[in-house]
Amino acid sequence: MKHDYLAIVETLKNEITFGHFKINQQLPTENELIERFHATRYAVRKALTELQNEHLIYKVQGSGMFIQDWNKKWQINPRSKTIGLICTHIADYIFPKIISQIDAVIEPEGYSLLLANTHNFPDKERSNLIKMLDSQIAGLIVEPSESAKPCQNADIYHRIAKSKIPLLFINAEYTEFDFPAITNADRQSEKELINYLLHMGHERILGIFQTDDLQGVERMNGFIQAYQDNDANLANSNLIMFGSHDSFSIISKKIDVYLKSDQPPTAIACYNDELAVLVIDKLKKQHFKIPQDVSIVGFDNYDAAAFLNPSLTTVNYQRTSVGQEAGKGILTLINGKKFNSIVHHPQLKLRDSVVQIEK
């Protein structure tokens, strides 16, 4: 099928910005591009002109097209009044309040937010970073995508650091960089939550954790540490690990394996409240009584957690404080001052979704 010039532009642009070509490397010839894209010479030349206009390639007379130092223009822009905010899930139950609090802090100072959503895909994070840096924003607030894995966009973050563009991480961080971050003590908070379940007599606890993000890995480590600190038999517990792009149906099938075992869990610790709601709904449909048959705990204390039936035991993620601190933090960095990382310690919210096990 014939590709028009816009499809050629998009493909080559992605390859250039994702590092398939090195700076000053020569592009394939016109004839090679015509063959690759099954396109006309007119379409290829128009695409190359477009890439030149975007300062991604440059022409050497008699030699062809070469890769421009396309991110050289990323510099601090003291005149900019736009702050970029890149979230993993912009519309979930956590971020609307964080966004509103950031905006409430920066708006009186004359700044506005430019929002972007990655759905926890590093390639979407990359494209959003490039768009925002190309528009020369004043600073960046970023929730890293798949933060438990090596940073796939390290080259961009190195350029940001080199150019001294203000950047602040929230909820997680890429540990290979020295940018300040606002995070939670996920391990300690999850440990306290599992301590509570153990003290309520639960030893057969099923933990379900998202492990492509640091938050999930830290919470899983807190789960394990609680057993160790209480000298409880870790063999009585079970873990389900899932990725952020796994559907709940995949997780549900794994839960069924443990529910049907000879020693089913008496409690389930969920990665967050959103997952806990899905697990509660699943168990109710299977005629389990909560908490009489299975106790459930979550993480985050989202707004409806207290109004579920039963109300959900969880830990309180301080969204209002995180949003306010992120707004103040990025303004501090924009003004050339130091901002120290902040670690929150979410507190237990004990409600009705856990029952005491009589021994």
Side-chain angles (χ1 to χ4, degrees):
M1 184 179 72
K2 296 284 186 183
H3 292 268
D4 65 14
Y5 83 98
L6 288 176
I8 301 171
V9 168
E10 191 64 27
T11 300
L12 291 177
K13 186 175 182 178
N14 283 337
E15 291 178 353
I16 292 168
T17 56
F18 276 79
H20 291 224
F21 298 99
K22 296 179 180 179
I23 302 301
N24 297 322
Q25 180 180 343
Q26 186 173 8
L27 267 182
T29 64
E30 278 189 11
N31 287 337
E32 288 171 334
L33 293 174
I34 289 169
E35 183 177 351
R36 175 185 173 186
F37 290 103
H38 306 289
T40 64
R41 188 172 301 276
Y42 170 79
V44 167
R45 287 183 174 176
K46 191 171 183 180
L48 293 176
T49 299
E50 185 77 17
L51 293 170
Q52 276 186 281
N53 292 339
E54 293 190 37
H55 306 290
L56 292 170
I57 62 174
Y58 64 94
K59 185 175 183 178
V60 176
Q61 196 65 36
S63 298
M65 294 292 186
F66 294 80
I67 305 301
Q68 181 74 272
D69 191 358
W70 52 272
N71 56 19
K72 189 177 181 179
K73 61 183 177 181
W74 297 347
Q75 303 293 335
I76 293 176
N77 183 3
R79 295 183 300 278
S80 175
K81 287 295 182 180
T82 302
I83 294 171
L85 174 59
I86 299 177
C87 315
T88 56
H89 299 286
I90 207 167
D92 76 0
Y93 65 98
I94 289 295
F95 260 98
K97 184 170 286 187
I98 293 175
I99 293 168
S100 68
Q101 293 300 318
I102 293 173
D103 188 61
V105 171
I106 68 171
E107 193 273 335
E109 302 300 321
Y111 289 88
S112 61
L113 279 176
L114 177 61
L115 300 176
N117 194 18
T118 70
H119 295 289
N120 213 33
F121 286 105
D123 59 340
K124 290 184 180 294
E125 176 184 289
R126 186 179 188 89
S127 61
N128 286 319
L129 283 169
I130 290 170
K131 289 174 184 176
M132 289 185 176
L133 291 165
D134 280 347
S135 66
Q136 294 195 317
I137 38 78
L140 275 168
I141 303 170
V142 179
E143 182 187 32
S145 296
E146 296 189 351
S147 54
K149 300 179 180 180
C151 179
Q152 295 185 32
N153 300 315
D155 58 324
I156 292 184
Y157 286 107
H158 281 303
R159 172 66 80 166
I160 291 171
K162 183 178 180 180
S163 300
K164 297 183 179 179
I165 297 170
L167 186 143
L168 173 66
F169 287 132
I170 54 173
N171 292 337
E173 59 187 317
Y174 295 123
T175 55
E176 56 262 57
F177 300 100
D178 195 29
F179 298 110
I182 301 172
T183 57
N184 290 306
D186 290 289
R187 182 183 303 204
Q188 180 64 29
S189 298
E190 187 70 32
K191 186 180 82 167
E192 292 174 3
L193 190 58
I194 304 306
N195 282 344
Y196 169 68
L197 289 177
L198 291 169
H199 294 159
M200 292 291 283
H202 296 275
E203 288 194 3
R204 298 200 308 272
I205 306 172
L206 174 62
I208 310 174
F209 299 102
Q210 179 180 308
T211 54
D212 51 3
D213 285 329
L214 279 177
Q215 300 100 303
V217 172
E218 285 295 292
R219 291 171 196 178
M220 183 175 67
N221 288 335
F223 178 101
I224 295 169
Q225 191 174 345
Y227 272 84
Q228 294 170 335
D229 289 355
N230 285 276
D231 199 25
N233 187 356
L234 193 56
N236 289 329
S237 72
N238 286 289
L239 289 170
I240 292 174
M241 291 173 274
F242 67 96
S244 55
H245 311 303
D246 290 340
S247 66
F248 180 68
S249 63
I250 293 173
I251 301 168
S252 178
K253 290 175 183 178
K254 293 180 179 180
I255 294 173
D256 285 335
V257 172
Y258 295 105
L259 292 176
K260 295 173 182 178
S261 68
D262 293 336
Q263 296 289 314
T266 62
I268 298 177
C270 297
Y271 165 68
N272 60 16
D273 293 349
E274 185 176 34
L275 178 60
V277 170
L278 294 174
V279 171
I280 289 171
D281 180 64
K282 165 190 170 61
L283 293 179
K284 284 184 176 181
K285 288 177 179 176
Q286 292 179 314
H287 307 294
F288 285 92
K289 295 179 180 178
I290 301 167
Q292 294 90 335
D293 296 331
V294 186
S295 294
I296 306 288
V297 296
F299 199 112
D300 287 335
N301 192 33
Y302 90 114
D303 292 338
F307 305 104
L308 296 173
N309 184 22
S311 57
L312 183 64
T313 292
T314 183
V315 294
N316 185 36
Y317 171 27
Q318 298 167 302
R319 289 166 286 166
T320 298
S321 296
V322 168
Q324 292 173 352
E325 289 162 357
K328 293 174 184 177
I330 195 63
L331 290 177
T332 298
L333 294 171
I334 289 170
N335 290 324
K337 299 177 182 178
K338 183 178 176 60
F339 179 75
N340 294 319
S341 294
I342 297 172
V343 179
H344 285 273
H345 296 269
Q347 302 299 305
L348 287 176
K349 288 289 183 180
L350 302 181
R351 298 196 180 103
D352 300 328
S353 62
V354 176
V355 69
Q356 175 84 45
I357 297 290
E358 299 296 335
K359 293 187 178 181

